[in-house]
Amino acid sequence: MSGTGARRIRVRVEGLVQGVGFRPFVCGLAGAYGVSGFVGNDPGGVFIEAEGEPSALDAFTAGLTAQAPPLALVERVSVEPAEPVGGSGFRIVASRRGEQPDGALVSPDAGTCAACLRELRDPGDRRHRYPFANCTDCGPRFTIVTGVPYDRCATTMADFEMCAACALEYGDPGDRRFHAQPVCCPACGPSLRALGADGLPAAGDPVEVAAGWLEAGRVVAIKGLGGYHLAVLAADGAAVAALRARKRRESRPFAVLAADAAAAGTLVHLEPAAERLLTGTSRPIVLAPRRRDAPVAGAVAPGARDLGVMLPYTPLHHLLAERLAVPYVLTSGNLTDEPIAYRDEEALRRLAGVADGFLVHDRRIEAPADDSLVRVFRGRELVVRRSRGYAPAPVGVPWRFPRPVLACGAQLKNTFCVARGNQAFLSQHIGDLESYETLRSFAEGVEHFCRIFGVRPAVVAHDLHPEYLSTAYARDREDVDLIAVQHHHAHIASCLAEHGHGGPVIGVAFDGLGLGADGTLWGGELLVADLVSFRRAGHLEAVPMPGGAAAVRQPWRMAAAWLDRIHGDALPGLAVVGRHREQWPAVVRMARAGLNSPLTSSAGRLFDAVAAIAGVRDVIGYEGQAAAELEARVDPGERGAYPARLIEGEPLVIAAGDLVGAAAEDVAAGVDAGRVAARFHRGLAAAVVRAVRVVGEGTGLRTAALSGGVFQNTVLLEAVVSGLERERFQVLVHSRVPPGDGGIALGQAVVAAANDRR
């Protein structure tokens, strides 16, 4: 109750403050300090009017940041005086609508909290075994949001009217479901069904039915938070093989879901940082070293040193994991190269012939979101795929975007980015833009982000490559200014943005391919770069790519190009030559003539060549497979390193052929693949460090930024970072944003903004 010395204030809170229990938290905070007034949501965030004694108001406003809920991210609290009106009590008022969103953020989905799990397992609780239990601390958020401000009517939970019991919890300031928008129970919320392959309902408890199917070796499609998954028992080799054949996913590793951290620990070696990531609210897939005795079929992750493990993140996944009591594969519900299925009718159609049964529910998914994928580097997370649990949390930057920006990203592993103010909203993983379905998913995602974040793009950034579908989409936009951003400049800018560093730096961008400023295919670049521009200071030695895209799918072609460059017709006795003796001469002639053989400086293609020479992988089933398997073969005890010259000039050239030649010599002498892989990694890293040192001596720069998909390879990353640190460089590496093409859009956005400010 307000006293005679009371004053009143108006407060605006901006940041991630909707869908995280912030209004109920404000009510509780006001009660604790004897403050009266009200709180509500609007398109800009949270608005508050509070009245009380000056000391109480000071403590109240300080607590808005210091005591915020676990899922909240308070970015700004602004306060202005208001006329006291008296009164008592503090309440949540109706949300204000009709304005364009400006400061409101949308929370990522959050894994099931401990309190909801206790209810799920309590036979006396009304939510016992209810697959959709949630509260202000957990549950669906981004994937159900249709608009802002965040209220039930602006989510797909608007389809379900609260029962009296849920309404009491929703309205009780002392209940953890106070104003929890997705609140529901078996009486009023979504329901679960098991459907046969024919789409007809199956009798019995749906979880029990699905578990029985899995135990019988069948493939089951399960509707999760952000889309459908396909599941089989992880130890059932026949079921895993059937899933691979039906999904047309020959060899890319599957992720495995374990019931809890202890169960995950029987599958992989978990360092403390990995366990923290595994059990956190984001619940990503965590890549960790696989145990030799892991009860998992070999076909789950063939050729991989690491295994992707995850924990249940919805009550449904918990129920199924506890019923099965063994790990199960959980992979995206799609055919290879398609986006994840998330609309029910479409899922039943697209997954027919793949799934033997379906575990479905009737809560609509508004925004599809694949599972996120992370690994650990030096005790910190290194995000490989940023999606469910991470998107759409913003990446804050210290520079303002003069005008709203849309960045369209890359062709592979696409994400897009919308930006305003000093916030960049990187989308969930979209996938490879190589089909109509994925392009449609991309376009729908752009419109959804623009709507919920109130962005009307005035500037649209895109890749230099004219044939990327993301570039074509950008050029089809009307009434916007287009800015083309070179692929590897965008990589380095993405790393700079994550660190709030404006440059200039020496950027090392190692990846598969990207169109260079000179019209050739780059991918092993040393750039002197800031956010506005770059200069190509060095690169890996370029070599023809015989057959163009065919050389990406068939790494032995890159081996042929390199070995011809080094030895000509005097080839050493290598098994890779014998394995392809019929095609080898034609491929070499193609490379020599430059016929459909574009020059490339790609680090990814260099890895491909060495993998083929070492007998690791001649033909790939997914992008980056040869490089990943070469990394997996590294012998950690090997201390040798192949030498590589630096060829002086402008730009500087790293003689990558020296590395290939040394590897070929070792293989011909019978050195095993593990030692070859280790010597190659160590030799390449040493050459990069020496090249950065030379560029640093010429420019005076002492900060290096490492980006590009090749730096998801933690063996190479550790060797390069350690070497640069010994040379006293400050080294910037990715953590929250993928180093691969999933981070390109962020780099495009900040480069576009930097040029827009000029």
Side-chain angles (χ1 to χ4, degrees):
M1 183 176 295
S2 302
T4 54
R7 63 186 178 94
R8 191 175 185 87
I9 55 175
R10 292 191 185 93
V11 183
R12 169 159 292 283
V13 187
E14 298 175 37
L16 193 53
V17 291
Q18 295 188 12
V20 294
F22 202 84
R23 289 174 296 174
F25 153 71
V26 172
C27 281
L29 193 67
Y33 292 112
V35 170
S36 63
F38 57 82
V39 60
N41 280 344
D42 67 14
V46 167
F47 62 87
I48 302 169
E49 288 204 17
E51 190 166 330
E53 296 299 320
S55 60
L57 289 179
D58 290 344
F60 170 77
T61 54
L64 293 173
T65 299
Q67 302 174 48
L71 300 181
L73 175 63
V74 176
E75 294 195 338
R76 187 177 300 107
V77 177
S78 53
V79 180
E80 63 180 36
E83 284 294 319
V85 298
S88 61
F90 201 95
R91 68 192 192 281
I92 294 177
V93 298
S95 296
R96 297 172 181 168
R97 303 181 181 278
E99 307 166 27
Q100 273 294 313
D102 186 34
L105 305 181
V106 176
S107 170
D109 303 281
T112 309
C113 70
C116 284
L117 275 181
R118 284 193 295 271
E119 293 174 343
L120 188 73
R121 295 164 177 159
D122 181 1
D125 193 279
R126 70 191 188 91
R127 292 187 176 86
H128 178 233
R129 295 185 57 79
Y130 182 54
F132 308 99
N134 67 85
C135 68
T136 55
D137 293 331
C138 69
R141 297 293 191 273
F142 168 63
T143 53
I144 64 170
V145 167
T146 59
V148 293
Y150 177 74
D151 285 310
R152 192 180 184 96
C153 62
T155 73
T156 60
M157 284 301 294
D159 299 342
F160 303 92
E161 184 176 351
M162 267 187 264
C163 67
C166 285
L168 281 174
E169 293 171 327
Y170 183 87
D172 180 1
D175 195 286
R176 78 175 197 282
R177 292 190 170 91
F178 182 44
H179 275 254
Q181 304 307 324
V183 64
C184 59
C185 73
C188 65
S191 58
L192 193 65
R193 294 181 299 155
L195 305 177
D198 55 6
L200 297 177
D205 174 77
V207 172
E208 187 64 36
V209 170
W213 284 338
L214 290 169
E215 289 171 338
R218 297 179 183 175
V219 178
V220 180
I222 302 171
K223 185 178 179 182
L225 277 181
Y228 279 78
H229 289 93
L230 294 167
V232 294
L233 293 190
D236 189 334
V240 174
L243 175 58
R244 286 204 176 278
R246 297 180 195 178
K247 188 176 162 69
R248 303 173 196 164
R249 183 165 165 170
E250 179 185 344
S251 50
R252 185 188 292 271
F254 289 139
V256 176
L257 185 145
D260 52 33
T266 67
L267 305 176
V268 296
H269 296 279
L270 284 176
E271 61 178 283
E275 186 167 344
R276 285 195 300 272
L277 290 168
L278 198 62
T279 58
T281 58
S282 297
R283 292 294 169 101
I285 299 167
V286 178
L287 284 170
R290 177 177 173 169
R291 290 188 179 275
R292 290 183 181 274
D293 58 350
V296 171
V300 168
R305 175 192 61 189
D306 294 340
L307 181 66
V309 294
M310 61 195 303
L311 299 187
Y313 56 88
T314 72
L316 174 57
H317 293 104
H318 278 283
L319 290 171
L320 192 57
E322 291 171 10
R323 162 59 182 81
L324 291 169
V326 293
Y328 58 95
V329 165
L330 204 63
T331 186
S332 54
N334 55 7
L335 299 181
T336 295
D337 297 330
E338 290 184 356
I340 189 170
Y342 71 101
R343 295 185 176 104
D344 296 332
E345 290 185 5
E346 186 178 86
L348 291 171
R349 175 179 55 80
R350 285 172 53 193
L351 301 180
V354 180
D356 298 308
F358 294 80
L359 193 57
V360 305
H361 59 76
D362 53 356
R363 184 181 66 212
R364 288 183 294 118
I365 297 171
E366 179 68 15
D370 251 313
D371 296 317
S372 294
L373 177 65
V374 306
R375 65 192 314 173
V376 174
F377 176 69
R378 292 189 167 187
R380 298 175 58 203
E381 73 177 337
L382 173 60
V383 174
V384 176
R385 182 172 67 215
R386 187 179 186 271
S387 202
R388 177 195 50 77
Y390 290 80
V395 179
V397 296
W399 324 282
R400 290 192 67 80
F401 291 87
R403 293 184 290 167
V405 174
L406 164 64
C408 295
Q411 179 83 346
L412 301 180
K413 299 179 178 65
N414 178 271
T415 64
F416 59 85
C417 181
V418 298
R420 54 161 166 76
N422 67 336
Q423 294 174 326
F425 301 94
L426 193 61
S427 79
Q428 72 274 34
H429 171 79
I430 303 298
D432 296 347
L433 295 184
E434 295 185 330
S435 68
Y436 167 76
E437 290 83 4
T438 312
L439 181 61
R440 185 185 70 176
S441 181
F442 167 86
E444 290 174 349
V446 169
E447 295 310 308
H448 185 58
F449 264 61
C450 288
R451 182 172 68 254
I452 64 176
F453 295 119
V455 173
R456 294 181 177 176
V459 178
V460 175
H462 61 85
D463 195 271
L464 279 183
H465 202 300
E467 295 179 10
Y468 281 3
L469 292 182
S470 54
T471 300
Y473 175 88
R475 290 176 172 173
D476 285 343
R477 301 276 304 202
E478 297 180 349
D479 301 320
V480 296
D481 291 330
L482 295 177
I483 295 181
V485 182
Q486 198 279 324
H487 191 89
H488 301 94
H489 185 204
H491 269 308
I492 300 305
S494 174
C495 188
L496 293 179
E498 182 174 346
H499 288 273
H501 195 300
V505 297
I506 302 169
V508 183
F510 276 16
D511 66 356
L513 293 171
L515 184 63
D518 61 358
T520 65
L521 297 176
W522 293 3
E525 308 308 310
L526 274 73
L527 309 179
V528 174
D530 57 20
L531 298 180
V532 175
S533 61
F534 72 93
R535 174 176 65 83
R536 193 186 195 195
H539 59 83
L540 293 177
E541 180 182 354
V543 69
M545 237 173 82
V552 177
R553 298 188 296 271
Q554 300 173 10
W556 71 267
R557 289 172 176 259
M558 293 307 304
W562 274 113
L563 291 172
D564 183 62
R565 164 75 61 85
I566 298 164
H567 296 288
D569 293 326
L571 285 174
L574 293 169
V576 67
V577 180
R579 291 194 298 271
H580 303 282
R581 64 172 61 88
E582 292 183 2
Q583 294 174 278
W584 196 278
V587 166
V588 167
R589 287 195 299 271
M590 182 186 299
R592 290 177 180 177
L595 179 64
N596 191 22
S597 299
L599 284 176
T600 183
S601 57
S602 165
R605 302 292 77 80
L606 175 64
F607 270 82
D608 285 352
V610 175
I613 290 168
V616 173
R617 174 65 56 177
D618 284 1
V619 178
I620 64 168
Y622 61 90
E623 196 266 337
Q625 182 179 9
E629 292 183 359
L630 187 67
E631 177 192 3
R633 297 289 283 274
V634 167
D635 180 349
E638 174 61 46
R639 289 291 170 263
Y642 297 138
R645 293 166 296 134
L646 297 184
I647 303 170
E648 295 184 5
E650 184 59 42
L652 181 74
V653 175
I654 298 173
D658 293 353
L659 301 171
V660 178
E665 186 176 330
D666 267 357
V667 171
V671 177
D672 68 82
R675 295 173 67 193
V676 171
R679 292 172 181 177
F680 168 70
H681 277 77
R682 289 170 58 82
L684 177 59
V688 169
V689 171
R690 287 189 290 116
V692 170
R693 185 180 65 209
V694 169
V695 175
E697 290 169 352
T699 60
L701 295 174
R702 302 301 300 169
T703 300
L706 311 182
S707 191
V710 170
F711 284 117
Q712 292 168 182
N713 177 328
T714 53
V715 174
L716 181 69
L717 183 61
E718 175 59 43
V720 173
V721 171
S722 296
L724 289 173
E725 288 175 342
R726 286 193 295 271
E727 295 287 340
R728 301 292 189 268
F729 278 88
Q730 178 190 12
V731 187
L732 308 180
V733 299
H734 286 274
S735 176
R736 297 175 295 123
V737 174
D741 282 4
I744 280 278
L746 174 64
Q748 291 174 343
V750 295
V751 169
N755 281 276
D756 198 32
R757 285 193 293 270
R758 297 179 71 188

